[in-house]
Amino acid sequence: AQSVTQLGSHVSVSEGALVLLRCNYSSSVPPYLFWYVQYPNQGLQLLLKYTSAATLVKGINGFEAEFKKSETSFHLTKPSAHMSDAAEYFCAVSGYNFNKFYFGSGTKLNVKP
Amino acid sequence: NAGVTQTPKFRVLKTGQSMTLLCAQDMNHEYMYWYRQDPGMGLRLIHYSVGEGTTAKGEVPDGYNVSRLKKQNFLLGLESAAPSQTSVYFCASSYSGEGIYEQYFGPGTRLTVT
């Protein structure tokens, strides 16, 4: 069975600081991994996705994530946080099963001025 | 393109009442999904559909029914609402070609059952 664990339900950083949001997956087959962002009172938007083409994936708004098979991780990073990055972030895993996704519990990012 | 739309945006029900949530997409996607989002639990799949006229159970299907009579629409029904169904409901759709494709989400429906 596939599952996703996001370490830290809340992360707080200062504006301009590095953002690191952690995601570990459990999968019996090579996974397809995604990061989504949810702004208050909105639906989820895709940030980036890993589909085995490259281990370092660049997404929108300056975010990127690195797939590390040995660590079963897909952590999300951004070199310099902006106030507009404050949102909730979800890691998700999928496989060849009618495109069913399994979401982590989410990490709320707070950016302090 | 409107993408994925959901109606209504908000609803308050009393225990035992019924209602239907409507999801519509204009991207010609085959796959559609209903999720519920509860604090600290991420998104949990209620039901999904891989094409017009087909539906399947997800992770938390009890108390919900769905129908996909038209490709662009996916309806979620609550026959007898319970307070445990207070949640935010999201609809999503995705392409079904070779490979894995991201899901596109609607803005959500906030449901409160008293």
Side-chain angles (χ1 to χ4, degrees):
Chain A
Q2 295 170 331
S3 67
V4 169
T5 302
Q6 290 184 242
L7 294 177
S9 59
H10 291 81
V11 170
S12 186
V13 301
S14 297
E15 192 172 19
L18 171 71
V19 175
L20 171 61
L21 304 182
R22 300 177 185 273
C23 173
N24 288 87
Y25 67 91
S26 170
S27 174
S28 58
V29 297
Y32 297 94
L33 293 156
F34 303 77
W35 275 101
Y36 281 85
V37 60
Q38 184 181 31
Y39 299 102
N41 300 314
Q42 294 186 25
L44 279 68
Q45 302 172 31
L46 182 70
L47 270 181
L48 50 82
K49 64 180 178 181
Y50 167 75
T51 56
S52 76
T55 57
L56 183 62
V57 182
K58 295 187 183 298
I60 62 172
N61 302 338
F63 284 93
E64 61 182 36
E66 186 172 8
F67 173 70
K68 292 187 176 180
K69 185 177 179 180
S70 61
E71 300 178 6
T72 61
S73 69
F74 190 57
H75 301 332
L76 183 70
T77 60
K78 182 174 181 178
S80 177
H82 295 167
M83 297 297 292
S84 60
D85 294 328
E88 189 162 17
Y89 293 80
F90 292 92
C91 184
V93 63
S94 181
Y96 280 112
N97 187 11
F98 302 118
N99 218 23
K100 288 172 69 175
F101 280 40
Y102 299 88
F103 286 85
S105 55
T107 298
K108 286 188 178 177
L109 176 65
N110 178 47
V111 182
K112 300 175 290 186
Chain B
N1 282 351
V4 180
T5 58
Q6 294 181 233
T7 52
K9 289 185 169 53
F10 303 93
R11 185 73 186 268
V12 178
L13 287 179
K14 294 185 178 180
T15 298
Q17 288 184 321
S18 63
M19 77 165 294
T20 299
L21 283 68
L22 171 63
C23 175
Q25 53 93 5
D26 61 2
M27 296 173 282
N28 203 34
H29 286 165
E30 287 290 339
Y31 296 166
M32 296 187 74
Y33 313 80
W34 275 107
Y35 292 91
R36 60 177 290 172
Q37 183 180 29
D38 303 291
M41 302 187 74
L43 275 74
R44 292 181 292 170
L45 183 64
I46 304 171
H47 286 280
Y48 64 100
S49 169
V50 299
E52 183 178 315
T54 70
T55 62
K57 294 180 180 179
E59 183 184 359
V60 288
D62 294 342
Y64 305 95
N65 56 75
V66 288
S67 64
R68 182 101 180 266
L69 299 179
K70 293 183 179 180
K71 184 177 182 178
Q72 63 268 32
N73 295 337
F74 195 28
L75 279 63
L76 178 70
L78 286 72
E79 291 182 347
S80 179
S84 60
Q85 294 178 303
T86 292
S87 186
V88 181
Y89 292 86
F90 288 99
C91 177
S93 70
S94 71
Y95 182 58
S96 60
E98 186 72 21
I100 295 294
Y101 297 89
E102 64 266 29
Q103 297 181 345
Y104 293 80
F105 285 82
T109 295
R110 188 173 296 274
L111 174 66
T112 301
V113 183
T114 60

mmCIF file of all heavy atoms in Angstrom, chain A residues 31-68:
data_model
loop_
_atom_site.group_PDB
_atom_site.id
_atom_site.type_symbol
_atom_site.label_atom_id
_atom_site.label_comp_id
_atom_site.label_asym_id
_atom_site.label_seq_id
_atom_site.Cartn_x
_atom_site.Cartn_y
_atom_site.Cartn_z
ATOM 1 N N PRO A 31 7.331 5.283 -7.178
ATOM 2 C CA PRO A 31 6.152 6.143 -7.030
ATOM 3 C C PRO A 31 6.159 7.324 -7.980
ATOM 4 O O PRO A 31 7.165 7.681 -8.560
ATOM 5 C CB PRO A 31 6.297 6.644 -5.595
ATOM 6 C CG PRO A 31 7.792 6.800 -5.453
ATOM 7 C CD PRO A 31 8.393 5.666 -6.262
ATOM 8 N N TYR A 32 4.987 7.904 -8.112
ATOM 9 C CA TYR A 32 4.848 9.210 -8.706
ATOM 10 C C TYR A 32 4.483 10.160 -7.564
ATOM 11 O O TYR A 32 3.562 9.897 -6.815
ATOM 12 C CB TYR A 32 3.769 9.203 -9.784
ATOM 13 C CG TYR A 32 4.136 8.283 -10.921
ATOM 14 C CD1 TYR A 32 3.697 6.965 -10.938
ATOM 15 C CD2 TYR A 32 4.960 8.724 -11.945
ATOM 16 C CE1 TYR A 32 4.061 6.113 -11.954
ATOM 17 C CE2 TYR A 32 5.323 7.879 -12.973
ATOM 18 C CZ TYR A 32 4.879 6.569 -12.978
ATOM 19 O OH TYR A 32 5.248 5.732 -13.982
ATOM 20 N N LEU A 33 5.230 11.224 -7.415
ATOM 21 C CA LEU A 33 5.106 12.093 -6.250
ATOM 22 C C LEU A 33 4.759 13.511 -6.659
ATOM 23 O O LEU A 33 5.217 13.995 -7.707
ATOM 24 C CB LEU A 33 6.417 12.097 -5.460
ATOM 25 C CG LEU A 33 6.756 10.760 -4.802
ATOM 26 C CD1 LEU A 33 8.244 10.631 -4.561
ATOM 27 C CD2 LEU A 33 5.987 10.604 -3.502
ATOM 28 N N PHE A 34 3.986 14.157 -5.810
ATOM 29 C CA PHE A 34 3.475 15.484 -6.109
ATOM 30 C C PHE A 34 3.528 16.358 -4.860
ATOM 31 O O PHE A 34 3.417 15.863 -3.744
ATOM 32 C CB PHE A 34 2.010 15.417 -6.563
ATOM 33 C CG PHE A 34 1.768 14.541 -7.752
ATOM 34 C CD1 PHE A 34 1.743 13.163 -7.631
ATOM 35 C CD2 PHE A 34 1.551 15.097 -8.994
ATOM 36 C CE1 PHE A 34 1.515 12.341 -8.726
ATOM 37 C CE2 PHE A 34 1.313 14.290 -10.106
ATOM 38 C CZ PHE A 34 1.299 12.908 -9.964
ATOM 39 N N TRP A 35 3.687 17.630 -5.071
ATOM 40 C CA TRP A 35 3.461 18.621 -4.028
ATOM 41 C C TRP A 35 2.369 19.572 -4.515
ATOM 42 O O TRP A 35 2.436 20.088 -5.627
ATOM 43 C CB TRP A 35 4.720 19.425 -3.732
ATOM 44 C CG TRP A 35 5.645 18.774 -2.747
ATOM 45 C CD1 TRP A 35 6.788 18.082 -3.017
ATOM 46 C CD2 TRP A 35 5.514 18.784 -1.321
ATOM 47 N NE1 TRP A 35 7.369 17.654 -1.849
ATOM 48 C CE2 TRP A 35 6.614 18.077 -0.798
ATOM 49 C CE3 TRP A 35 4.589 19.339 -0.428
ATOM 50 C CZ2 TRP A 35 6.812 17.889 0.578
ATOM 51 C CZ3 TRP A 35 4.778 19.165 0.929
ATOM 52 C CH2 TRP A 35 5.874 18.450 1.422
ATOM 53 N N TYR A 36 1.401 19.786 -3.622
ATOM 54 C CA TYR A 36 0.329 20.735 -3.878
ATOM 55 C C TYR A 36 0.364 21.830 -2.813
ATOM 56 O O TYR A 36 0.793 21.596 -1.678
ATOM 57 C CB TYR A 36 -1.035 20.042 -3.799
ATOM 58 C CG TYR A 36 -1.425 19.258 -5.016
ATOM 59 C CD1 TYR A 36 -0.998 17.945 -5.190
ATOM 60 C CD2 TYR A 36 -2.246 19.816 -5.989
ATOM 61 C CE1 TYR A 36 -1.374 17.221 -6.303
ATOM 62 C CE2 TYR A 36 -2.642 19.094 -7.106
ATOM 63 C CZ TYR A 36 -2.200 17.800 -7.248
ATOM 64 O OH TYR A 36 -2.585 17.090 -8.356
ATOM 65 N N VAL A 37 -0.145 23.005 -3.174
ATOM 66 C CA VAL A 37 -0.269 24.104 -2.226
ATOM 67 C C VAL A 37 -1.736 24.499 -2.126
ATOM 68 O O VAL A 37 -2.462 24.466 -3.124
ATOM 69 C CB VAL A 37 0.597 25.315 -2.639
ATOM 70 C CG1 VAL A 37 0.196 25.864 -4.001
ATOM 71 C CG2 VAL A 37 0.510 26.428 -1.590
ATOM 72 N N GLN A 38 -2.145 24.827 -0.910
ATOM 73 C CA GLN A 38 -3.522 25.279 -0.686
ATOM 74 C C GLN A 38 -3.501 26.595 0.065
ATOM 75 O O GLN A 38 -3.068 26.652 1.226
ATOM 76 C CB GLN A 38 -4.315 24.238 0.103
ATOM 77 C CG GLN A 38 -5.784 24.608 0.278
ATOM 78 C CD GLN A 38 -6.560 23.578 1.086
ATOM 79 O OE1 GLN A 38 -6.018 22.927 1.970
ATOM 80 N NE2 GLN A 38 -7.830 23.426 0.764
ATOM 81 N N TYR A 39 -3.972 27.641 -0.582
ATOM 82 C CA TYR A 39 -4.125 28.925 0.075
ATOM 83 C C TYR A 39 -5.457 28.948 0.810
ATOM 84 O O TYR A 39 -6.371 28.196 0.457
ATOM 85 C CB TYR A 39 -4.005 30.064 -0.932
ATOM 86 C CG TYR A 39 -2.661 30.097 -1.614
ATOM 87 C CD1 TYR A 39 -2.488 29.610 -2.902
ATOM 88 C CD2 TYR A 39 -1.539 30.581 -0.940
ATOM 89 C CE1 TYR A 39 -1.249 29.614 -3.516
ATOM 90 C CE2 TYR A 39 -0.287 30.578 -1.541
ATOM 91 C CZ TYR A 39 -0.153 30.088 -2.825
ATOM 92 O OH TYR A 39 1.072 30.076 -3.417
ATOM 93 N N PRO A 40 -5.596 29.786 1.810
ATOM 94 C CA PRO A 40 -6.834 29.794 2.611
ATOM 95 C C PRO A 40 -8.093 29.881 1.770
ATOM 96 O O PRO A 40 -8.186 30.695 0.847
ATOM 97 C CB PRO A 40 -6.644 31.027 3.497
ATOM 98 C CG PRO A 40 -5.168 31.154 3.643
ATOM 99 C CD PRO A 40 -4.595 30.739 2.317
ATOM 100 N N ASN A 41 -9.022 28.996 2.089
ATOM 101 C CA ASN A 41 -10.342 28.965 1.450
ATOM 102 C C ASN A 41 -10.274 28.726 -0.057
ATOM 103 O O ASN A 41 -11.144 29.208 -0.804
ATOM 104 C CB ASN A 41 -11.100 30.261 1.747
ATOM 105 C CG ASN A 41 -11.311 30.468 3.230
ATOM 106 O OD1 ASN A 41 -11.709 29.555 3.943
ATOM 107 N ND2 ASN A 41 -11.003 31.663 3.708
ATOM 108 N N GLN A 42 -9.247 28.017 -0.485
ATOM 109 C CA GLN A 42 -9.136 27.681 -1.895
ATOM 110 C C GLN A 42 -8.893 26.182 -2.063
ATOM 111 O O GLN A 42 -8.625 25.472 -1.095
ATOM 112 C CB GLN A 42 -7.989 28.457 -2.547
ATOM 113 C CG GLN A 42 -8.222 29.962 -2.608
ATOM 114 C CD GLN A 42 -7.130 30.658 -3.396
ATOM 115 O OE1 GLN A 42 -6.474 30.061 -4.259
ATOM 116 N NE2 GLN A 42 -6.920 31.936 -3.112
ATOM 117 N N GLY A 43 -8.992 25.735 -3.309
ATOM 118 C CA GLY A 43 -8.646 24.358 -3.618
ATOM 119 C C GLY A 43 -7.138 24.178 -3.708
ATOM 120 O O GLY A 43 -6.370 25.107 -3.469
ATOM 121 N N LEU A 44 -6.722 22.975 -4.036
ATOM 122 C CA LEU A 44 -5.296 22.665 -4.133
ATOM 123 C C LEU A 44 -4.781 22.988 -5.532
ATOM 124 O O LEU A 44 -5.467 22.752 -6.528
ATOM 125 C CB LEU A 44 -5.041 21.186 -3.838
ATOM 126 C CG LEU A 44 -4.979 20.776 -2.371
ATOM 127 C CD1 LEU A 44 -6.317 20.886 -1.686
ATOM 128 C CD2 LEU A 44 -4.420 19.354 -2.259
ATOM 129 N N GLN A 45 -3.534 23.500 -5.569
ATOM 130 C CA GLN A 45 -2.884 23.795 -6.840
ATOM 131 C C GLN A 45 -1.586 23.006 -6.906
ATOM 132 O O GLN A 45 -0.863 22.903 -5.908
ATOM 133 C CB GLN A 45 -2.541 25.286 -6.942
ATOM 134 C CG GLN A 45 -3.702 26.240 -6.803
ATOM 135 C CD GLN A 45 -3.227 27.667 -6.724
ATOM 136 O OE1 GLN A 45 -2.203 28.027 -7.306
ATOM 137 N NE2 GLN A 45 -3.951 28.503 -6.007
ATOM 138 N N LEU A 46 -1.278 22.496 -8.077
ATOM 139 C CA LEU A 46 -0.051 21.732 -8.241
ATOM 140 C C LEU A 46 1.166 22.644 -8.191
ATOM 141 O O LEU A 46 1.233 23.649 -8.893
ATOM 142 C CB LEU A 46 -0.071 20.999 -9.581
ATOM 143 C CG LEU A 46 1.140 20.131 -9.867
ATOM 144 C CD1 LEU A 46 1.143 18.901 -8.952
ATOM 145 C CD2 LEU A 46 1.168 19.704 -11.326
ATOM 146 N N LEU A 47 2.138 22.273 -7.349
ATOM 147 C CA LEU A 47 3.425 22.970 -7.304
ATOM 148 C C LEU A 47 4.423 22.307 -8.237
ATOM 149 O O LEU A 47 5.114 22.968 -9.001
ATOM 150 C CB LEU A 47 3.998 22.937 -5.886
ATOM 151 C CG LEU A 47 3.669 24.048 -4.919
ATOM 152 C CD1 LEU A 47 4.379 23.768 -3.594
ATOM 153 C CD2 LEU A 47 4.089 25.403 -5.459
ATOM 154 N N LEU A 48 4.516 20.977 -8.116
ATOM 155 C CA LEU A 48 5.458 20.222 -8.934
ATOM 156 C C LEU A 48 5.129 18.744 -8.833
ATOM 157 O O LEU A 48 4.373 18.325 -7.952
ATOM 158 C CB LEU A 48 6.899 20.487 -8.488
ATOM 159 C CG LEU A 48 7.246 20.352 -7.017
ATOM 160 C CD1 LEU A 48 7.491 18.918 -6.616
ATOM 161 C CD2 LEU A 48 8.459 21.195 -6.654
ATOM 162 N N LYS A 49 5.727 17.976 -9.773
ATOM 163 C CA LYS A 49 5.510 16.526 -9.742
ATOM 164 C C LYS A 49 6.760 15.793 -10.193
ATOM 165 O O LYS A 49 7.533 16.289 -11.016
ATOM 166 C CB LYS A 49 4.334 16.143 -10.637
ATOM 167 C CG LYS A 49 4.520 16.430 -12.121
ATOM 168 C CD LYS A 49 3.277 16.002 -12.910
ATOM 169 C CE LYS A 49 3.432 16.338 -14.386
ATOM 170 N NZ LYS A 49 2.206 15.953 -15.164
ATOM 171 N N TYR A 50 6.972 14.641 -9.623
ATOM 172 C CA TYR A 50 8.082 13.766 -9.996
ATOM 173 C C TYR A 50 7.521 12.562 -10.718
ATOM 174 O O TYR A 50 6.672 11.845 -10.194
ATOM 175 C CB TYR A 50 8.838 13.304 -8.745
ATOM 176 C CG TYR A 50 9.786 12.178 -9.036
ATOM 177 C CD1 TYR A 50 10.992 12.416 -9.702
ATOM 178 C CD2 TYR A 50 9.476 10.864 -8.688
ATOM 179 C CE1 TYR A 50 11.856 11.383 -9.995
ATOM 180 C CE2 TYR A 50 10.337 9.832 -8.978
ATOM 181 C CZ TYR A 50 11.522 10.095 -9.636
ATOM 182 O OH TYR A 50 12.376 9.070 -9.921
ATOM 183 N N THR A 51 8.032 12.340 -11.937
ATOM 184 C CA THR A 51 7.567 11.185 -12.692
ATOM 185 C C THR A 51 8.743 10.405 -13.264
ATOM 186 O O THR A 51 8.632 9.790 -14.316
ATOM 187 C CB THR A 51 6.644 11.631 -13.838
ATOM 188 O OG1 THR A 51 7.356 12.577 -14.660
ATOM 189 C CG2 THR A 51 5.385 12.272 -13.313
ATOM 190 N N SER A 52 9.883 10.436 -12.589
ATOM 191 C CA SER A 52 11.089 9.653 -12.862
ATOM 192 C C SER A 52 11.969 10.219 -13.961
ATOM 193 O O SER A 52 12.983 9.623 -14.291
ATOM 194 C CB SER A 52 10.751 8.189 -13.168
ATOM 195 O OG SER A 52 10.231 8.056 -14.472
ATOM 196 N N ALA A 53 11.633 11.347 -14.535
ATOM 197 C CA ALA A 53 12.476 11.919 -15.591
ATOM 198 C C ALA A 53 13.764 12.513 -15.010
ATOM 199 O O ALA A 53 14.818 12.414 -15.605
ATOM 200 C CB ALA A 53 11.703 12.981 -16.363
ATOM 201 N N ALA A 54 13.657 13.131 -13.834
ATOM 202 C CA ALA A 54 14.827 13.742 -13.199
ATOM 203 C C ALA A 54 14.584 13.746 -11.704
ATOM 204 O O ALA A 54 13.450 13.921 -11.258
ATOM 205 C CB ALA A 54 15.041 15.174 -13.691
ATOM 206 N N THR A 55 15.642 13.577 -10.908
ATOM 207 C CA THR A 55 15.452 13.497 -9.454
ATOM 208 C C THR A 55 15.217 14.855 -8.822
ATOM 209 O O THR A 55 14.585 14.945 -7.779
ATOM 210 C CB THR A 55 16.654 12.824 -8.782
ATOM 211 O OG1 THR A 55 17.835 13.561 -9.122
ATOM 212 C CG2 THR A 55 16.794 11.389 -9.234
ATOM 213 N N LEU A 56 15.732 15.916 -9.450
ATOM 214 C CA LEU A 56 15.486 17.270 -8.942
ATOM 215 C C LEU A 56 14.410 17.903 -9.811
ATOM 216 O O LEU A 56 14.591 18.070 -11.012
ATOM 217 C CB LEU A 56 16.765 18.106 -8.970
ATOM 218 C CG LEU A 56 16.647 19.527 -8.399
ATOM 219 C CD1 LEU A 56 16.275 19.468 -6.918
ATOM 220 C CD2 LEU A 56 17.949 20.292 -8.597
ATOM 221 N N VAL A 57 13.326 18.238 -9.180
ATOM 222 C CA VAL A 57 12.173 18.763 -9.909
ATOM 223 C C VAL A 57 11.948 20.221 -9.532
ATOM 224 O O VAL A 57 11.896 20.551 -8.351
ATOM 225 C CB VAL A 57 10.903 17.948 -9.577
ATOM 226 C CG1 VAL A 57 9.723 18.473 -10.390
ATOM 227 C CG2 VAL A 57 11.118 16.474 -9.840
ATOM 228 N N LYS A 58 11.830 21.053 -10.531
ATOM 229 C CA LYS A 58 11.548 22.468 -10.278
ATOM 230 C C LYS A 58 10.073 22.737 -10.511
ATOM 231 O O LYS A 58 9.484 22.231 -11.477
ATOM 232 C CB LYS A 58 12.400 23.349 -11.178
ATOM 233 C CG LYS A 58 13.897 23.239 -10.871
ATOM 234 C CD LYS A 58 14.705 24.243 -11.641
ATOM 235 C CE LYS A 58 16.197 24.065 -11.365
ATOM 236 N NZ LYS A 58 16.527 24.290 -9.934
ATOM 237 N N GLY A 59 9.501 23.536 -9.621
ATOM 238 C CA GLY A 59 8.094 23.844 -9.742
ATOM 239 C C GLY A 59 7.846 25.336 -9.863
ATOM 240 O O GLY A 59 8.742 26.109 -10.177
ATOM 241 N N ILE A 60 6.623 25.708 -9.586
ATOM 242 C CA ILE A 60 6.270 27.122 -9.694
ATOM 243 C C ILE A 60 6.684 27.876 -8.440
ATOM 244 O O ILE A 60 6.949 27.263 -7.399
ATOM 245 C CB ILE A 60 4.753 27.292 -9.941
ATOM 246 C CG1 ILE A 60 3.948 26.724 -8.758
ATOM 247 C CG2 ILE A 60 4.344 26.635 -11.241
ATOM 248 C CD1 ILE A 60 2.461 27.031 -8.829
ATOM 249 N N ASN A 61 6.729 29.189 -8.553
ATOM 250 C CA ASN A 61 7.006 30.078 -7.416
ATOM 251 C C ASN A 61 8.360 29.816 -6.752
ATOM 252 O O ASN A 61 8.526 30.125 -5.574
ATOM 253 C CB ASN A 61 5.891 29.987 -6.363
ATOM 254 C CG ASN A 61 4.527 30.342 -6.932
ATOM 255 O OD1 ASN A 61 4.425 31.026 -7.939
ATOM 256 N ND2 ASN A 61 3.479 29.860 -6.291
ATOM 257 N N GLY A 62 9.319 29.275 -7.478
ATOM 258 C CA GLY A 62 10.663 29.074 -6.943
ATOM 259 C C GLY A 62 10.855 27.829 -6.095
ATOM 260 O O GLY A 62 11.919 27.627 -5.514
ATOM 261 N N PHE A 63 9.852 26.989 -5.989
ATOM 262 C CA PHE A 63 9.969 25.753 -5.222
ATOM 263 C C PHE A 63 10.628 24.651 -6.049
ATOM 264 O O PHE A 63 10.501 24.617 -7.266
ATOM 265 C CB PHE A 63 8.590 25.286 -4.759
ATOM 266 C CG PHE A 63 8.036 26.067 -3.603
ATOM 267 C CD1 PHE A 63 7.216 27.161 -3.821
ATOM 268 C CD2 PHE A 63 8.349 25.709 -2.302
ATOM 269 C CE1 PHE A 63 6.709 27.902 -2.754
ATOM 270 C CE2 PHE A 63 7.843 26.435 -1.232
ATOM 271 C CZ PHE A 63 7.027 27.526 -1.463
ATOM 272 N N GLU A 64 11.297 23.751 -5.343
ATOM 273 C CA GLU A 64 11.832 22.562 -5.978
ATOM 274 C C GLU A 64 11.839 21.430 -4.975
ATOM 275 O O GLU A 64 11.730 21.645 -3.759
ATOM 276 C CB GLU A 64 13.232 22.792 -6.540
ATOM 277 C CG GLU A 64 14.281 23.174 -5.538
ATOM 278 C CD GLU A 64 15.633 23.428 -6.206
ATOM 279 O OE1 GLU A 64 15.663 23.957 -7.331
ATOM 280 O OE2 GLU A 64 16.649 23.088 -5.587
ATOM 281 N N ALA A 65 11.924 20.212 -5.492
ATOM 282 C CA ALA A 65 11.938 19.037 -4.627
ATOM 283 C C ALA A 65 12.896 18.019 -5.209
ATOM 284 O O ALA A 65 13.042 17.922 -6.434
ATOM 285 C CB ALA A 65 10.542 18.453 -4.498
ATOM 286 N N GLU A 66 13.533 17.265 -4.332
ATOM 287 C CA GLU A 66 14.482 16.256 -4.772
ATOM 288 C C GLU A 66 14.007 14.878 -4.360
ATOM 289 O O GLU A 66 13.716 14.626 -3.176
ATOM 290 C CB GLU A 66 15.880 16.508 -4.191
ATOM 291 C CG GLU A 66 16.923 15.552 -4.753
ATOM 292 C CD GLU A 66 18.330 15.909 -4.328
ATOM 293 O OE1 GLU A 66 18.491 16.802 -3.471
ATOM 294 O OE2 GLU A 66 19.269 15.287 -4.850
ATOM 295 N N PHE A 67 13.933 13.977 -5.326
ATOM 296 C CA PHE A 67 13.555 12.596 -5.069
ATOM 297 C C PHE A 67 14.802 11.816 -4.647
ATOM 298 O O PHE A 67 15.789 11.768 -5.385
ATOM 299 C CB PHE A 67 12.954 11.972 -6.326
ATOM 300 C CG PHE A 67 12.675 10.503 -6.209
ATOM 301 C CD1 PHE A 67 11.666 10.046 -5.401
ATOM 302 C CD2 PHE A 67 13.429 9.585 -6.920
ATOM 303 C CE1 PHE A 67 11.393 8.692 -5.291
ATOM 304 C CE2 PHE A 67 13.167 8.223 -6.828
ATOM 305 C CZ PHE A 67 12.146 7.781 -6.007
ATOM 306 N N LYS A 68 14.754 11.222 -3.466
ATOM 307 C CA LYS A 68 15.860 10.409 -2.974
ATOM 308 C C LYS A 68 15.320 9.029 -2.649
ATOM 309 O O LYS A 68 14.713 8.801 -1.592
ATOM 310 C CB LYS A 68 16.492 11.055 -1.737
ATOM 311 C CG LYS A 68 17.225 12.351 -2.029
ATOM 312 C CD LYS A 68 17.972 12.846 -0.792
ATOM 313 C CE LYS A 68 18.776 14.100 -1.113
ATOM 314 N NZ LYS A 68 19.522 14.599 0.070
#
